Amino acid sequence: MRVNDIVSGTILLLLGAAVAAHALGFPAAHGQTIGPGVFPGSIGLGLVLAGALLMRSGWRQTPRAPAVEWDEGLRQPRFAANGALVIGTVIFYALAVERVGFFPSAFVMLAVLFLAFGVSRRWIAPLAAAVTFGLHFAFYSLLSVPLPWGWLERFAW
Amino acid sequence: MTHVLEAFQLVLDPGVLGTVLLAALFGLFVGAVPGLTATMATALLVPVTFLMAPVPAIACMVTASAMAIFAGDIPGALLRMPGTPASAAYCEEANAMTRKGQAERVLGASLVCSVVGGLFGIIVLVTTAPLLAEFALQFSSFEYFWLVLLGLTCAVFIAPGRPLKGMVSLLIGLLIATVGFENPAAYPRFTFGTEALMSGLQLTPVMIGMFAVSEVIRHALAPAGPAHLPARGMGRIFRGQGTLLRQQAVPVLRGSALGTAIGALPGAGADIAAWIAYGISKRFSRTPEKFGTGHIEGVVEAGAANNSALAAAWIPALVFGIPGDSITAIVIGVLYMKGMNPGPTLFIENPQNIYAVFIVFLLANLLLLPLGWMAIKLAKNVLRVPRRVLMPIILLFCVVGAFAINNSVFDVGVMLAFGLLAFGLEANRFPIAPTILGLVLGGMLEQNLVTSLIKADGNPAAFFARPLAAGLGVATILIWLSPLIRRALRRRTAAATVLH
Amino acid sequence: MTRPSLAFLLLALVACPCRAAEYPTRPITFIVPWGAGGGTDAVGRIMASLLERDLGRPVNVVNRTGGSGVVGHSAIAHARPDGYTIGILTVEIAMMHHQGLTRLDGSSFTPLGLVNLDPTAIQVRADSPYQTLGDLMNAIREQPGKLKASGTARGGIWHVSLCGLLREQRIAPEAVVWVPSVGNAAGLLDLVAGGVDIVPGSHPEGRSLIDAGRVRSLAILDDNPSQLYPAVPTGAQAIGTRWSMGAWRGIGAPKRLPKPIAERLQAAVKRAYDSREFAEFMAQRGFGRKWAGPEEFAAFMAREDEQMGEIMRALGLAR
């Protein structure tokens, strides 16, 4: 998704203003001349300034770019859905892994994305299973990262 | 001399050599996986070293970290996903070379320069450690403040495209760095009441998100992307590297020296060294316009800098027990555990152990040549894997890597959020490298500014009161003003020619 | 009842860890709220390995970092109280709730035993004009606001401890300006570089620079002399103060732990503490060994909590 400089400038200006306003509300630190709000406050003001400059350059640009331009990928439903699936599977994994465990969550994540990206159907399950096991071995057994067991707690090794 | 012989005996023991080899393979793997850093490689080795004798314990940490810093370049060059934060500075440049079909050249150069930089750092460590440590001890918050500002100026040099957009990216990075309550006032900022945000947004999940996850999203949305990455030209890795090294001798040596100096300073490690080296390389290059299009110059300079910084970080650690970076912070604990208490006495009481550590450093860097070669050969197979298979696997690696940092799923969320942010930024031609730099340096900037002002009772003149601080301050200001000065000079000569 | 379901029932009976007498039947998770490679991590790992030997089941160390210790502490406090999640508690748990950063405090846990205490020691530069703690206190009294101290974040343990000492000496805490630092090493570095004048901290943290002759330790604020530097005078010897505060570490479990399990774990922690390996490890790292059993540990945390709260309110750090 592409926006022109006027839109991105406006977003930055609003973000900067919100940050600066919020930072002004930080209480002064007892015994310190510079309070906790000064640094983020100046960054906020910097963003306001940068946003204003971007808006100005967008305004002067001729011919002016359209406010919002969608990438080709986002306009085609199939690819837009793939993008959503990437985000969705990560969210799914984050929500599921502690309860369900690493093996099912990782397998589902891989299988869904393989399917979406067009990997040949009969390869999906074996490939996803092999990668899941390989990763588990590397991270859990070799690097001792405590990947959650979830449903498979009883089979934990 | 007997101590040196003893040290060789300690190192050239089959058990020690075997440990070094295993640690090397481990370091290569950890470094090459986006999200697992050299620091993490070292931390993961701590429980293993509980059971070891002093020399092999230190040997495996030295080896693993050196391998990891190099291996971070591999996914950076091949996939535009830096394996460790120290490779982030030049990852776009290296990837641009891969896309030109020069993967072999860039990885070979980065390997050779890593070895050269590492050896440079070791030579300095062996010969001038006490002297350099003494110098590093002169740095107080005033000097660090200027150094950080100098580092931030690099953002302006490294950002391709419009400077205004680079500035915006830098500001976003600085803003991210203010999250949490680890600021001089110990006030929780932008935490939205969550406990997980209290220590702020950590570099690693943000980095994986911005580089790797955004790339996966881009792939998903690419209707007509290539099925494979260009895999040609992965034949002979070392071919032409000698000539290259001769041509690029100045950047390589400058990067090594800079990396050593920055590494020896407590609190600034390989990550910062690589950024500053890349910035300096562009600033002093005769062809700065080629940077960002797949130009080897910045890669060799920064690649040498991060490996030399790694060795130099041991200087304050061994001489004064002060960590030079996050890796040596861990190592110092292990040194105490093994009765090799850091400090001047270490060089007097146990010289054979300290010589053994030096020998291990040499060995690890020489071992980097064959093992790095092997790693590149193996890694090139990644390019043969169709992207539709590769991308989901990379995403899973990212997710697990982000989880592994704090063992919490919160960081997976952070990673995803920054993946989306980076996707949006890049689609609108905002560079992401300055954001990472802002995040790396933001906390240091505020900390050193505020503590300096507290120490000076609010008097800004104190930033120039110490000779070292004054020197750094003047240098920084001159670098800022140099375009203005040059323009003024040019106008003057132009005016003069008109007059005559 | 069909045969398969009978078999299943038998299996379930065997697998079910219903009776506490059988505890532990499966691996135990040991949470360390700080990063791998640090001091707390090291103490946690040696404890875990000794507990593993005692309990006969794997004790796996998990570093749950983030939130300056809060995330890991709350992971211990909120785990199921079944004895399969325990962890290491650090001094921050008595401090952070006063700043409004968490609701957890010492009473959110089942204490299993205090294992480590490193009292505050007062360090100055080796070429500093102050030879004794008395000299230093007089200088602070004479010129309030001139001397600067560093060694931890604002509101960190060493900041609070120094202010406590000043209050006890009837000096306003503002008489020493606090320069926040990220960790004690950074503060010591600034001390050596000439940026600050005083660094309160523990002896293991100051060890390398004290040994290198760059830093002088004036006194240790504890009843007993330092385990690393027995020649350094105690607070009582130096200026007649009994004021004491320090960084501590102890083992804890979630609240409402069943009594038999708690007793099993408490006994195991005590045996681990008494072991030769633990004593050797602590001596190597220079960490102070200090034991307090469950009840004393709980009382200790309550006392610390109250003391910290009082000082932090006086400093305007409490929220």
Side-chain angles (χ1 to χ4, degrees):
Chain A
M1 191 174 101
R2 277 178 76 172
V3 295
N4 69 9
D5 284 359
I6 300 178
V7 177
S8 59
T10 313
I11 294 171
L12 289 169
L13 197 143
L14 292 178
L15 172 73
V19 166
H22 184 56
L24 276 180
F26 294 162
H30 188 73
Q32 293 185 6
T33 36
I34 290 196
V38 175
F39 200 71
S42 354
I43 297 168
L45 291 181
L47 282 172
V48 168
L49 184 72
L53 288 173
L54 265 180
M55 281 169 78
R56 194 184 64 161
S57 84
W59 203 263
R60 286 183 179 172
Q61 200 181 16
T62 44
R64 199 174 292 165
V68 180
E69 244 179 312
W70 296 94
D71 315 25
E72 208 187 328
L74 278 173
R75 270 183 285 146
Q76 294 184 26
R78 185 178 151 221
F79 294 112
N82 281 359
L85 272 179
V86 169
I87 300 161
T89 48
V90 174
I91 295 174
F92 161 78
Y93 178 92
L95 294 178
V97 71
E98 304 238 288
R99 178 183 300 261
V100 176
F102 173 77
F103 280 105
S105 341
F107 181 84
V108 169
M109 179 176 168
L110 285 174
V112 168
L113 289 178
F114 283 151
L115 187 68
F117 289 175
V119 174
S120 148
R121 292 261 164 123
R122 59 199 173 108
W123 281 105
I124 289 176
L127 205 58
V131 173
T132 304
F133 271 97
L135 223 79
H136 188 269
F137 176 72
F139 280 82
Y140 184 87
S141 305
L142 294 182
L143 303 179
S144 57
V145 173
L147 296 172
W149 282 97
W151 288 345
L152 302 174
E153 185 77 57
R154 309 180 59 158
F155 305 99
W157 59 77
Chain B
M1 211 54 216
T2 50
H3 293 310
V4 179
L5 281 178
E6 259 178 78
F8 269 106
Q9 275 170 359
L10 279 173
V11 176
L12 298 177
D13 164 85
V16 176
L17 291 179
T19 316
V20 165
L21 193 67
L22 283 178
L25 296 174
F26 168 78
L28 283 173
F29 172 73
V30 172
V33 173
L36 298 182
T37 63
T39 310
M40 199 168 165
T42 317
L44 286 167
L45 283 172
V46 173
V48 183
T49 57
F50 265 34
L51 311 165
M52 292 184 188
V55 170
I58 300 302
C60 62
M61 295 192 153
V62 167
T63 318
S65 55
M67 298 288 162
I69 291 282
F70 159 71
D73 294 353
I74 300 177
L78 298 184
L79 304 166
R80 196 169 171 269
M81 298 172 186
T84 68
S87 306
Y90 49 93
C91 132
E92 285 182 43
E93 191 83 59
N95 184 248
M97 290 192 67
T98 301
R99 274 184 273 118
K100 286 204 264 174
Q102 298 178 349
E104 149 213 70
R105 183 152 174 266
V106 68
L107 279 174
S110 126
L111 173 59
V112 171
C113 294
S114 290
V115 173
V116 173
L119 291 175
F120 187 98
I122 297 158
I123 292 168
V124 175
L125 170 67
V126 174
T127 51
T128 59
L131 214 71
L132 246 172
E134 205 65 53
F135 172 73
L137 279 195
Q138 303 295 314
F139 269 64
S140 80
S141 61
F142 299 101
E143 285 82 12
Y144 277 112
F145 172 76
W146 289 116
L147 192 74
V148 172
L149 267 193
L150 198 65
L152 283 179
T153 5
C154 294
V156 183
F157 301 137
I158 56 179
R162 285 165 66 186
L164 180 59
K165 292 201 162 178
M167 207 60 208
V168 167
S169 300
L170 180 67
L171 285 171
I172 292 174
L174 291 173
L175 184 64
I176 298 166
T178 65
V179 175
F181 99 118
E182 282 170 5
N183 52 64
Y187 179 80
R189 303 187 296 205
F190 309 111
T191 57
F192 307 102
T194 57
E195 287 179 348
L197 274 175
M198 285 220 310
S199 54
L201 290 161
Q202 316 235 310
L203 176 60
T204 319
V206 170
M207 194 190 76
I208 324 170
M210 294 195 85
F211 282 104
V213 175
S214 63
E215 192 74 31
V216 178
I217 297 175
R218 254 193 304 280
H219 168 77
L221 292 176
H228 290 265
L229 293 151
R232 75 195 151 91
M234 282 296 281
R236 294 167 60 184
I237 293 158
F238 288 127
R239 193 168 62 191
Q241 298 300 349
T243 332
L244 184 78
L245 210 54
R246 264 197 303 284
Q247 282 167 355
Q248 303 287 345
V250 175
V252 172
L253 288 179
R254 191 171 53 200
S256 305
L258 191 80
T260 310
I262 292 173
L265 291 175
D271 310 357
I272 296 174
W275 286 103
I276 296 188
Y278 185 75
I280 296 264
S281 188
K282 186 170 177 189
R283 182 74 187 73
F284 290 101
S285 169
R286 262 182 242 139
T287 52
E289 70 282 354
K290 283 192 189 163
F291 277 70
T293 61
H295 188 51
I296 197 84
E297 203 175 334
V299 178
V300 296
E301 179 150 358
N306 59 20
N307 272 69
S308 65
L310 195 68
W314 285 67
I315 294 172
L318 288 176
V319 179
F320 290 113
I322 291 172
D325 60 4
S326 49
I327 295 170
T328 42
I330 297 169
V331 170
I332 288 171
V334 177
L335 287 171
Y336 274 118
M337 282 276 305
K338 300 297 170 194
M340 289 175 67
N341 300 4
T345 48
L346 179 61
F347 293 81
I348 301 158
E349 280 171 9
N350 284 318
Q352 72 280 14
N353 277 354
I354 202 75
Y355 290 134
V357 171
F358 293 157
I359 294 169
V360 168
F361 258 111
L362 278 176
L363 189 69
N365 272 276
L366 294 176
L367 204 60
L368 188 51
L369 277 179
L371 289 182
W373 177 84
M374 190 192 76
I376 297 172
K377 282 277 175 199
L378 275 176
K380 75 171 184 193
N381 293 319
V382 166
L383 298 181
R384 296 221 181 98
V385 179
R387 283 168 80 95
R388 59 176 187 271
V389 175
L390 191 60
M391 287 295 162
I393 298 175
I394 285 174
L395 190 66
L396 187 60
F397 263 101
C398 293
V399 165
V400 177
F403 174 83
I405 299 155
N406 285 331
N407 296 321
S408 86
V409 285
F410 181 80
D411 289 310
V412 178
V414 170
M415 177 199 79
L416 182 64
F418 279 91
L420 289 169
L421 175 71
F423 175 74
L425 286 176
E426 290 207 293
N428 289 291
R429 306 252 154 83
F430 287 96
I432 56 174
T435 305
I436 304 283
L437 186 67
L439 179 58
V440 170
L441 293 177
M444 280 175 85
L445 181 69
E446 184 180 16
Q447 175 77 23
N448 289 304
L449 174 68
V450 174
T451 55
S452 296
L453 282 172
I454 294 175
K455 282 189 264 181
D457 299 315
N459 178 11
F463 283 94
F464 295 96
R466 299 160 55 98
L468 202 57
L472 278 168
V474 170
T476 311
I477 292 170
L478 277 181
I479 290 188
W480 280 352
L481 296 182
S482 64
L484 289 179
I485 296 170
R486 219 177 299 152
R487 204 180 304 164
L489 280 176
R490 216 177 296 144
R491 208 173 291 159
R492 208 137 155 226
T493 35
T497 21
V498 173
L499 274 177
H500 283 275
Chain C
M1 196 181 261
T2 58
R3 204 174 284 200
S5 62
L6 186 69
F8 182 77
L9 192 70
L10 276 174
L11 193 75
L13 275 174
V14 172
C16 168
C18 304
R19 286 175 45 211
E22 293 166 5
Y23 169 85
T25 55
R26 57 188 171 88
I28 294 166
T29 302
F30 188 100
I31 294 178
V32 172
W34 299 92
T40 305
D41 180 61
V43 175
R45 282 183 195 276
I46 189 86
M47 260 291 150
S49 70
L50 294 168
L51 290 175
E52 181 168 306
R53 206 171 58 190
D54 194 287
L55 298 167
R57 294 282 160 188
V59 177
N60 302 319
V61 175
V62 172
N63 298 89
R64 283 296 299 269
T65 46
S68 296
V70 173
V71 170
H73 279 106
S74 85
I76 303 171
H78 297 141
R80 209 177 302 146
D82 55 6
Y84 290 101
T85 308
I86 58 174
I88 190 161
L89 312 179
T90 62
V91 64
E92 282 74 16
I93 206 62
M95 313 183 70
M96 295 185 71
H97 71 101
H98 292 299
Q99 287 173 279
L101 298 171
T102 175
R103 288 207 194 130
L104 297 175
D105 61 18
S107 66
S108 314
F109 302 91
T110 302
L112 299 176
L114 179 73
V115 298
N116 158 241
L117 175 75
D118 288 307
T120 316
I122 306 291
Q123 275 74 246
V124 295
R125 208 167 25 257
D127 60 4
S128 156
Y130 314 111
Q131 296 297 330
T132 65
L133 188 58
D135 290 354
L136 185 67
M137 288 296 140
N138 287 336
I140 296 169
R141 263 197 204 95
E142 278 156 25
Q143 289 178 299
K146 179 170 176 280
L147 293 186
K148 307 206 163 49
S150 183
T152 175
R154 193 172 118 91
I157 170 71
W158 309 126
H159 180 201
V160 173
S161 180
L162 179 68
C163 290
L165 173 70
L166 293 177
R167 264 165 58 97
E168 200 257 359
Q169 292 292 300
R170 309 206 174 286
I171 305 173
E174 293 82 20
V176 174
V177 179
W178 189 261
V179 180
S181 75
V182 184
N184 202 245
L188 285 165
L189 205 63
D190 218 359
L191 181 76
V192 175
V196 295
D197 311 285
I198 311 164
V199 171
S202 72
H203 273 155
E205 287 169 311
R207 191 177 178 184
S208 58
L209 284 170
I210 296 174
D211 288 344
R214 295 311 172 102
V215 163
R216 183 166 59 231
S217 184
L218 296 181
I220 182 159
L221 302 176
D222 196 37
D223 293 343
N224 306 311
S226 163
Q227 290 169 8
L228 272 174
Y229 302 104
V232 171
T234 62
Q237 289 165 344
I239 52 168
T241 180
R242 304 274 296 170
W243 166 259
S244 179
M245 185 175 268
W248 50 263
R249 300 178 178 110
I251 313 298
K255 232 162 54 174
R256 285 184 288 279
L257 195 64
K259 202 155 180 258
I261 294 179
E263 278 165 1
R264 177 84 181 85
L265 281 169
Q266 283 154 0
V269 171
K270 172 77 174 127
R271 274 194 292 271
Y273 176 85
D274 287 333
S275 70
R276 195 173 46 83
E277 287 96 330
F278 188 70
E280 274 174 10
F281 167 85
M282 296 298 269
Q284 279 283 357
R285 288 294 297 251
F287 294 145
R289 273 171 82 228
K290 169 96 176 176
W291 174 254
E295 288 85 29
E296 303 137 66
F297 184 24
F300 171 84
M301 283 197 285
R303 204 167 54 236
E304 285 273 304
D305 202 275
E306 198 185 325
Q307 223 177 15
M308 304 255 182
E310 199 183 311
I311 301 167
M312 289 171 88
R313 273 189 296 278
L315 280 172
L317 285 165
R319 261 188 287 272

